[in-house]
Amino acid sequence: MAGNIKIEVVTPEKSVVSEEAQIVMAPGTMGEFGVLVGHTPFFTTLKMGVIKYKDAKGEERCVFVTEGFAEALPDRVTILAEAAERRRDIDVERAKAALKRAEERLAKESGKQDMDFMRAKIALDRALHRIQLAETRRH
Ligand code: ATP
């Protein structure tokens, strides 16, 4: 079916993306999925990763998202996540500082499998994803 789909990426703080897209790809917990206009409605959880979409002009756009949810309807896809940033908005120095803090915490908690250890591990994953995505920015 021809036409664009509306993509919305929303966090508790803000609307990160609200625009028309030709196609949206997202990291579902059951695997990566793609949504085009006219898609059968579905709802899924998302793992931490990158939402990729082609905007109305066909430019590829990337958005980092933490774990969250996605709802696809025939004319729109809505992503709800704890945090999200467009690739161009990622502050690499901040992510590197967060990575260092997480590594230090993990070293201190080494061997434990408690909540602090898990939190530090997830913070480390966030920082690594942000750095990796930012590194694919065109200069
Ligand atoms: P930090 O310790 O630097 O806050 P964090 O992983 O704990 O990192 P989050 O809790 O995931 O941060 O996000 C808090 C807010 O800050 C969100 O609005 C998120 O989009 C933003 N944010 C976090 N890190 C970055 C970054 N490196 N660049 C841009 N925005 C960021």
Side-chain angles (χ1 to χ4, degrees), residues 78-110:
T78 307
I79 315 279
L80 304 169
E82 223 13 76
E85 302 102 46
R86 288 175 176 271
R87 172 165 56 186
R88 63 174 185 238
D89 294 330
I90 294 174
D91 177 339
V92 181
E93 291 313 311
R94 177 175 170 177
K96 285 184 176 164
L99 176 67
K100 191 160 174 280
R101 284 195 306 276
E103 281 171 345
E104 286 164 1
R105 268 158 46 211
L106 281 174
K108 223 169 67 184
E109 303 284 327
S110 167

